[in-house]
Amino acid sequence: MKSISLLTATAVFTPFMSSAATHCQGVSYKHSFTVSQKQNDVEVTLADEKPVKYSDLQDPQEGTLKISGHTITSIIVENTTVDEFLKKKASSRRLAVSMIAGRAEYDGDQDMWYSYASDLYASLKCQ
């Protein structure tokens, strides 16, 4: 009888970093992900890469408004540097996951949030 074994893989993201990075940016097929130094804080931004088409707004008297746009989520992490923030891999990834979780297009994809966050981190290029 043959035995079946399972292989478990753990995603590890290590952004390319020069020394003392002050700005990192990554792009996935849907979003741009930016980590930037803003004085004593770090700003983390998740933004749509391309405009998103939303439902039209319709009114019988006024007609129809066609709606599209970019959703941008920006978080400030206080009193840290880009390097310190990215070294805290578990915490910084959880922040990315929470930013993804707040977006309507990921509703129902809870099992994929960490994968999406890892893809964003893997694409980061730092300066």
Side-chain angles (χ1 to χ4, degrees):
M1 174 182 258
K2 293 183 180 182
S3 64
I4 298 173
S5 62
L6 296 175
L7 176 63
T8 303
T10 302
V12 176
F13 53 88
T14 307
F16 170 77
M17 294 175 58
S18 60
S19 60
T22 59
H23 180 84
C24 302
Q25 184 163 10
V27 178
S28 72
Y29 68 100
K30 279 187 171 182
H31 299 100
S32 62
F33 186 67
T34 307
V35 181
S36 297
Q37 193 71 47
K38 301 290 183 182
Q39 296 171 347
N40 294 329
D41 304 326
V42 169
E43 181 178 38
V44 182
T45 304
L46 180 66
D48 294 331
E49 189 61 19
K50 297 177 183 170
V52 175
K53 176 73 175 120
Y54 296 102
S55 299
D56 296 340
L57 293 177
Q58 298 181 354
D59 183 273
Q61 283 79 33
E62 297 176 353
T64 301
L65 296 174
K66 301 284 185 184
I67 308 296
S68 64
H70 293 271
T71 301
I72 300 170
T73 307
S74 183
I75 304 283
I76 300 295
V77 182
E78 298 177 356
N79 300 315
T80 192
T81 66
V82 170
D83 290 336
E84 290 169 351
F85 174 73
L86 292 175
K87 284 179 187 172
K88 297 178 180 179
K89 294 179 181 183
S91 296
S92 62
R93 186 168 78 159
R94 276 197 308 270
L95 179 62
V97 168
S98 69
M99 294 170 85
I100 288 167
R103 291 176 163 259
E105 68 263 32
Y106 291 115
D107 190 32
D109 284 345
Q110 290 86 342
D111 59 330
M112 296 298 293
W113 291 347
Y114 278 89
S115 175
Y116 295 143
S118 291
D119 289 348
L120 289 169
Y121 270 88
S123 72
L124 283 177
K125 304 285 186 265
C126 298
Q127 306 175 359

